[in-house]
């Protein structure tokens, strides 16, 4: 494989080609293509891709290449039913690749695996519920975990946590535990609101954007469109990223006809600061240190002293911490020259309104919380929260991951929430124990204390750290149950009893006895919107997520909840949600009315109005000292420069564990995702050349060996000491025994590894 550099802009013609390819590969009939245009619009469906906010007004198209792929993958007319499953063993399914599993098409029938028989078998819904009820009644509820991936709806997520807690389990791990958990945790401590403070309108007013640890061209293309517009009106855009991602260097909006015709784009980012992996903690401190020096040289010109005095606490401790940091240390730890940190500070001091956005490049790290709190510190120094064009924006991943949390589908909820539910359903008694998060469930799977995993979507065994060990542990469970649209690897590792239940997706029409239903979701800007499917379901056997969860709960025998009413009309669910949110989440009053009338409404964000729901009602500067105890630093002490820092990231042609193809056209990868990107110097040190085969070994010393074999090494523009490979191919290298401080988020982007030449075959 060669390391040719792709020349075409990100977005542009390639995006249109990618869209058409996705449609045709999934065999979407032409007459349905028009329905794609209803994605993200009032009256249409919420794109099942990312959680970037929708445009208001009437844009012709508010969907992107990546959204279209996710939609085509769901709307496919390919399906998989009884004839495929009957008599197959898990080993036969496992022999299929990840791509082939999903490419079978939509699941259309409930399927049972029974270890006593050794094979899968299609069953009807009554039998499925009877098996689930039998298994769950026999297990101690404390040994059962209920995982939710953020792809479902508010209605389904609400019922999911109600069913889990009503059954007696407090264990509600979710994909957020793998994702933006540190963002919510850090923001809640700093500004009293665990959600981002920005709306799409802020993109129109910001003078400066600092985009950290994010690859929006592949993962949030609609944000790329917003940045492109901002750039064209003169805003400054800075990226902090170990990689020079192509969306930043060269991007064309596929809706810009003249750029499309010329196959030309623009450099969206004014500068890219190539930190080393995990270097942001020090880099942000360096930027603040430079600002402090500027403020001292000309007092009152850089910091917003009035804002600081009125709205914040902890300023002195932050200043003391910045004074205690030496520039040499900051340069060493960030990988950025001092001049670059000063340059960011100069841009920042000049701009009247700054937004900072981030994604997994900040959260999949040991110091994720401390780092995100530096982002907030930086914003607070110039009063950049609670004014137009300013704010902190963790750009969420799954389309309803934020909504799932608002609905209580998490192990951490307040007493007020549980009290409200018990009041709304007189007679119901909820489990109030502390629940396991995803890391806790993985521990429980390893030590045998978790004996059943139920999941509302997702691909838990592949998304988890130590994926091979987790998949194996799932097989030791008594019971597994997955509600899913498509077949994936986790489903091929059932417990002694395994159920696979086929569900409708966002794009499917959902006809219930109470009429055609809509569901609702919440995006990264706290906008709640209605979503209505457009396509007739491919099979009569598929059921909606709310219906499955309600029927399951009824079968288990959770009393005092009108489950049947809930399956008939989801408005009944929303009425209860509204009651349960009183005093917990502001803004759900007249939930049904507003959803049905306007199609969407925004939940108020207190911090965005400078109301700080913290201890002392102040926004808090959070000072954190640098330390040298991360897994990578430990490995460097033992292995010296043999140890490299590995990040696992997404390619342009995937949605999380769903891989659409072996290509990553923005990084010049074709046909084979088993690649590792390395600095040329690091290649040379190991006696390697671009294109050589290598093995990679994890250097976390916890008694477990983790290796992947025969990856292709690629010379790349990445800081020395760092390397990058794709998720999930390299996921076997991620140790579950280490995680971020405070939130136990896996270190998917900061693993110590050793790379060595493959022994010749
Ligand atoms: N098409 C598509 N859209 C998606 C997804 C998808 O898989 N496909 N996934 C969805 C989900 S669940 C999520 S969470 C988001 C993920 O969206 P992203 O976070 O953009 O996804 P990753 O590929 O994990 O990218 C991480 C980025 O962080 C950078 N990075 C890694 N380590 C560091 C670091 O230490 N510091 C800094 N500054 N940067 C670093 C990488 O170079 C890369 O650019 O996207 C969502 N949207
Ligand atoms: N090494 C490594 N691992 C990672 C990451 C990383 O960067 N590196 N990123 C992490 C992150 S940010 C996240 S969010 C997680 C994602 O983890 P998960 O959410 O567990 O994984 P997904 O790949 O999004 O799940 C895809 C499956 O969801 C099901 N599905 C799709 N749509 C629907 C639907 O509408 N309803 C239902 N019920 N099921 C549906 C399909 O069966 C599909 O196979 O992975 C994490 N894992
Ligand atoms: Mo995510």
């Amino acid at each position: 494989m060669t390391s040719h550099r792709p020349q075409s802009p990100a977005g542009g013609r390639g995006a249109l080609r990618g869209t058409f390819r996705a449609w045709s590969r999934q065999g979407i009939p032409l007459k349905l293509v028009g329905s794609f245009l209803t994605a993200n619009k009032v009256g249409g469906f919420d794109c099942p891709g990312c959680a970037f906010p929708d445009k208001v007004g009437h844009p012709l198209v508010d969907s992107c290449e990546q959204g279209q792929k996710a939609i085509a993958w769901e709307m496919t007319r390919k399906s998989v039913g009884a004839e495929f499953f009957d008599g197959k063993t898990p080993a036969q399914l496992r022999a299929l690749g990840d791509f082939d599993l999903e490419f079978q098409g939509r699941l259309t029938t409930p399927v049972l695996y029974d270890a006593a028989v050794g094979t899968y078998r299609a069953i009807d819904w009554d039998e499925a519920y009877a098996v689930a009820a039998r298994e769950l009644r026999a297990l101690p509820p404390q040994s059962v975990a209920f995982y939710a991936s953020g792809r479902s709806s508010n209605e389904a997520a609400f019922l999911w946590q109600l069913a889990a807690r009503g059954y007696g389990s407090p264990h509600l791990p979710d994909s957020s535990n793998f994702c933006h958990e540190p963002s919510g945790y850090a923001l809640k401590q700093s500004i009293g609101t665990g959600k981002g403070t920005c709306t799409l309108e802020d993109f129109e007013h910001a003078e400066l954007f600092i985009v950290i640890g994010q690859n929006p061209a592949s993962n949030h293309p609609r944000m790329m469109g917003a940045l492109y517009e901002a750039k064209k009106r003169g805003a400054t855009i800075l990226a902090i990223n170990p990689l020079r991602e192509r969306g930043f260097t060269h991007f064309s909006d596929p809706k810009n006809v003249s750029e499309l015709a010329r196959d030309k784009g623009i450099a969206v980012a004014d500068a890219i600061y190539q930190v080393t992996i995990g270097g942001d903690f020090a880099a942000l401190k360096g930027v603040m240190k430079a600002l402090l020096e500027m403020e001292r040289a000309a007092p009152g010109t850089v910091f917003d002293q009035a804002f600081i005095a009125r709205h914040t606490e902890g300023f002195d401790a932050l200043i003391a911490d910045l004074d205690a940091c030496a520039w040499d240390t900051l340069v060493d730890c960030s990988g950025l020259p001092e001049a670059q940190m000063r340059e960011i500070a100069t841009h920042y001091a000049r701009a009247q309104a700054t937004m900072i956005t981030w994604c997994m490049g900040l959260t999949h790290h040991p110091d994720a919380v401390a780092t995100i709190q530096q982002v907030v510190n930086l914003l607070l120094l110039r009063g950049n929260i609670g004014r137009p064009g300013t704010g902190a924006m963790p750009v969420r991943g799954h389309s309803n991951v934020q909504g799932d949390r608002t609905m209580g589908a998490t192990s951490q909820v307040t007493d007020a929430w549980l009290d409200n539910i018990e009041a709304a359903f007189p007679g119901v008694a909820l489990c109030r124990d502390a629940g396991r998060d995803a890391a806790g469930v993985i521990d429980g799977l390893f030590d045998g204390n978790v004996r059943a995993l139920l999941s509302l979507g997702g691909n838990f065994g592949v998304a988890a750290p130590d994926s091979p060990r987790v998949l194996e542990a799932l097989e030791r469970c008594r019971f597994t149950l997955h509600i899913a649209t498509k077949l994936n690897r986790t489903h091929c590792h059932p417990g002694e009893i395994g159920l696979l239940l086929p569900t409708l997706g966002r794009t499917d029409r959902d006809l219930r006895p109470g009429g055609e239903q809509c569901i609702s979701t919440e995006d990264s800007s706290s906008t709640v919107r209605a979503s209505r499917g457009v396509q007739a379901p491919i099979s009569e056997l598929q059921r909606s997520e709310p219906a499955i969860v309600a029927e399951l709960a009824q079968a288990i025998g959770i009393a005092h909840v009108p489950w049947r009413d809930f399956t008939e009309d989801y408005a009944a669910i929303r009425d209860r949600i509204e009651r349960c949110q009183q005093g917990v989440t502001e803004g759900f009053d007249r939930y049904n009315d507003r959803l049905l009338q306007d199609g969407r409404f925004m939940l108020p964000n207190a911090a965005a109005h400078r109301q700080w729901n913290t201890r002392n009602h102040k926004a808090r500067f959070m000072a954190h000292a640098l330390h040298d105890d991360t897994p990578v630093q430990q490995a460097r002490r033992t292995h010296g420069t043999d140890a490299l820092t590995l990040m696992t990231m997404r390619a342009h042609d995937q949605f999380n564990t769903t891989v659409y193809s072996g290509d990553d056209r923005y990084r010049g990868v074709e046909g084979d995702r088993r690649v590792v990107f390395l600095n040329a110097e690091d290649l040379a040190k190991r006696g390697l050349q671009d294109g050589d085969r290598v093995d990679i070994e994890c250097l976390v010393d916890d008694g477990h060996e983790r290796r992947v074999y025969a990856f292709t090494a690629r010379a790349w523009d990445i800081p020395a000491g760092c390397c990058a490979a794709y998720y999930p191919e390299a996921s076997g290298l991620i140790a579950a025994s280490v995680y971020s401080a405070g939130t136990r988020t896996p270190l998917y982007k900061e693993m110590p590894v050793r790379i060595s030449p493959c022994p010749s075959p």
Side-chain angles (χ1 to χ4, degrees):
M1 196 180 324
T2 55
S3 68
H4 64 273
R5 291 291 159 131
Q7 294 305 316
S8 289
R13 290 181 189 175
L16 295 183
R17 273 196 298 271
T19 301
F20 289 120
R21 193 176 315 126
W23 290 346
S24 67
R25 280 181 72 190
Q26 293 297 338
I28 309 282
L30 218 53
K31 66 177 198 292
L32 273 178
V33 168
S35 58
F36 283 88
L37 295 179
T38 71
N40 295 331
K41 302 233 200 107
V42 172
F45 59 89
D46 182 38
C47 175
C50 73
F52 194 71
D54 304 335
K55 284 187 177 156
V56 278
H58 302 280
L60 180 60
V61 190
D62 188 19
S63 172
C64 64
E65 175 197 358
Q66 303 301 68
Q68 298 295 349
K69 286 182 198 159
I71 294 166
W73 236 245
E74 183 175 297
M75 284 177 80
T76 180
R77 299 321 272 169
K78 284 164 65 89
S79 68
V80 55
E83 57 310 327
F84 174 82
F85 286 103
D86 281 344
K88 281 227 170 66
T89 62
Q92 281 174 309
L93 288 192
R94 272 178 240 150
L96 294 172
D98 290 359
F99 178 85
D100 295 317
L101 289 171
E102 288 234 11
F103 207 62
Q104 299 301 319
R106 291 288 299 273
L107 295 165
T108 56
T109 172
V111 177
L112 170 70
Y113 171 76
D114 183 343
V117 181
T119 53
Y120 292 89
R121 160 170 80 86
I123 56 173
D124 63 23
W125 282 98
D126 288 344
E127 187 177 355
Y129 293 134
V131 169
R134 181 193 75 206
E135 291 302 319
L136 290 172
R137 286 205 199 106
L139 284 159
Q142 288 282 347
S143 69
V144 181
F146 291 73
Y147 174 71
S149 153
R151 191 108 166 214
S152 66
S153 57
N154 286 353
E155 291 77 1
F158 177 77
L159 296 186
W160 186 246
Q161 58 91 40
L162 178 59
R165 297 195 161 99
Y167 162 67
S169 167
H171 309 309
L172 283 143
D174 68 344
S175 62
S176 247
N177 297 149
F178 292 149
C179 186
H180 263 300
E181 185 78 54
S183 304
Y185 184 93
L187 290 173
K188 181 89 190 132
Q189 272 190 342
S190 293
I191 58 172
T193 305
K195 297 179 180 179
T197 65
C198 302
T199 66
L200 204 48
E201 233 188 298
D202 290 312
F203 279 81
E204 293 164 22
H205 300 290
E207 288 179 20
L208 172 67
F209 295 83
I210 308 181
V211 181
I212 314 182
Q214 197 188 347
N215 179 19
S218 288
N219 300 316
H220 301 93
R222 289 181 300 139
M223 171 168 160
M224 211 56 233
L227 290 175
Y228 166 95
E229 294 296 329
K231 173 76 184 175
K232 292 216 154 170
R233 71 169 163 75
T236 301
I237 294 165
L238 308 179
I240 302 183
N241 199 310
L243 301 179
R244 298 179 58 78
E245 301 287 21
R246 189 138 55 101
F248 297 129
T249 58
H250 197 187
F251 176 82
S252 150
D253 190 327
K255 289 175 218 100
N256 182 321
V257 178
S258 102
E259 283 181 5
L260 209 59
R262 288 176 296 130
D263 201 17
K264 277 256 155 26
I266 59 169
V268 168
D270 293 84
I272 302 174
Y273 300 95
Q274 289 182 269
V275 280
T276 46
I277 295 173
D280 309 83
F281 189 7
L284 290 160
K285 282 194 180 206
V287 174
M288 288 190 284
K289 191 174 173 72
L291 283 173
L292 176 60
E293 290 176 14
M294 291 156 77
E295 170 71 15
R296 281 182 175 147
T301 59
V302 177
F303 291 172
D304 185 340
Q305 295 290 4
F307 174 86
I308 293 171
R310 171 140 182 240
H311 286 285
T312 70
E313 63 179 25
F315 178 72
D316 294 342
L318 177 74
I319 299 305
D321 177 60
L322 296 176
D323 279 331
C325 291
W327 275 110
D328 288 354
T329 315
L330 296 174
V331 169
D332 265 4
C333 296
S334 67
L336 295 185
E338 184 181 324
Q340 290 194 2
M341 291 183 264
R342 290 190 183 278
E343 187 178 292
I344 301 173
T346 305
H347 280 293
Y348 182 65
R350 218 181 273 148
Q352 292 312 311
T354 298
M355 268 175 70
I356 304 186
T357 75
W358 69 92
C359 206
M360 297 302 106
L362 285 195
T363 66
H364 288 163
H365 304 270
D367 293 313
V369 171
T371 306
I372 293 162
Q373 290 184 334
Q374 305 311 309
V375 168
V376 180
N377 291 343
L378 180 59
L379 288 169
L380 292 176
L381 285 175
R382 284 181 49 77
N384 274 315
I385 294 187
R387 290 189 286 122
T390 69
M393 186 166 191
V395 185
R396 303 272 166 183
H398 276 302
S399 54
N400 196 40
V401 62
Q402 190 159 317
D404 277 16
R405 276 294 173 96
T406 306
M407 295 299 129
T410 158
S411 296
Q412 309 135 43
V413 285
T414 58
D415 283 336
W417 173 249
L418 301 175
D419 293 345
N420 279 3
I421 297 180
E422 287 181 346
F425 301 97
V428 157
L430 301 179
C431 177
R432 287 175 175 253
D433 299 340
R436 291 173 186 264
D437 56 6
V441 168
I442 292 168
D443 289 344
L445 286 169
F446 289 163
D447 67 23
N449 283 316
V450 170
R451 307 220 40 227
L453 179 77
L454 280 67
S455 68
L456 180 61
N459 189 357
F460 185 84
V462 177
D466 264 331
S467 164
R469 289 175 63 211
V470 171
L471 288 169
E472 211 178 72
L474 284 170
E475 290 172 50
R476 294 194 299 269
C477 280
R478 169 60 198 172
F479 180 49
T480 53
L481 178 154
H482 304 288
I483 300 170
T485 50
K486 294 263 187 102
L487 187 58
N488 65 44
R489 186 149 304 282
T490 302
H491 308 152
C492 310
H493 293 262
E496 281 171 51
I497 299 290
L499 281 174
L500 183 52
L501 306 178
T503 186
L504 297 179
R506 291 278 167 76
T507 55
D508 297 311
R509 286 197 144 120
D510 185 2
L511 198 61
R512 303 295 313 168
E516 193 161 326
Q517 301 296 311
C518 74
I519 49 99
S520 52
T521 58
E522 178 186 337
D523 67 26
S524 292
S525 70
S526 305
T527 300
V528 176
R529 55 153 297 157
S531 175
R532 224 176 261 285
V534 290
Q535 164 168 260
I538 198 168
S539 157
E540 284 176 358
L541 274 177
Q542 291 168 326
R543 293 195 183 169
S544 75
E545 292 177 335
I548 296 172
V549 179
E551 286 163 356
L552 190 65
Q554 194 163 26
I556 311 171
I558 301 167
H560 310 293
V561 177
W563 298 112
R564 178 178 286 278
D565 297 352
F566 288 167
T567 65
E568 291 183 353
D569 193 340
Y570 308 159
I573 310 176
R574 288 188 288 272
D575 280 338
R576 299 296 175 117
I577 294 174
E578 179 179 333
R579 275 181 70 180
C580 294
Q581 293 291 5
Q582 279 169 20
V584 176
T585 311
E586 245 187 283
F588 275 101
D589 42 299
R590 297 179 41 243
Y591 188 178
N592 271 310
D593 288 354
R594 286 192 296 157
L595 196 70
L596 301 180
Q597 263 163 32
D598 309 330
R600 63 179 120 206
F601 59 88
M602 197 174 270
L603 301 174
N605 181 300
H609 295 96
R610 299 193 166 178
Q611 287 159 20
W612 321 104
N613 293 327
T614 52
R615 261 191 337 217
N616 297 334
H617 302 288
K618 299 272 189 193
R620 299 166 70 192
F621 285 105
M622 306 289 293
H624 296 279
L626 295 169
H627 63 92
D628 61 358
D629 227 14
T630 64
V632 166
Q633 287 160 331
Q634 288 172 17
R636 292 237 158 94
R637 282 197 287 274
T638 314
H639 303 277
T641 52
D642 259 12
L644 295 171
T645 313
L646 170 78
M647 62 155 110
T648 54
M649 61 183 180
R650 292 155 172 78
H652 189 65
D653 240 10
Q654 77 184 84
F655 194 92
N656 294 338
T657 63
T658 304
V659 174
Y660 303 127
S661 83
D663 304 342
D664 186 355
R665 71 168 193 270
Y666 294 166
R667 300 194 184 105
V669 169
E670 275 171 38
D672 181 10
R673 292 168 43 98
R674 295 173 65 83
V675 291
V676 55
F677 300 93
L678 284 163
N679 183 291
E681 214 179 277
D682 286 320
L683 269 181
K685 260 192 216 156
R686 287 159 183 75
L688 291 165
Q689 289 185 340
D690 183 82
D692 282 354
R693 291 290 157 131
V694 295
D695 294 342
I696 316 176
E697 175 196 356
C698 172
L699 294 178
V700 169
D701 187 11
D702 62 358
H704 292 281
E705 207 173 88
R706 302 172 181 89
R707 282 172 197 272
V708 296
Y709 300 96
F711 273 51
T712 305
R714 300 276 306 266
W716 205 250
D717 189 349
I718 183 171
C722 297
C723 61
Y726 292 120
Y727 143 61
E729 284 74 4
S731 294
L733 294 167
I734 310 295
S737 58
V738 287
Y739 25 70
S740 70
T743 59
R744 313 213 315 157
T745 306
L747 307 186
Y748 295 126
K749 292 189 175 41
E750 206 175 319
M751 263 299 126
V753 297
R754 174 168 30 221
I755 295 189
S756 34
C758 241
S760 15

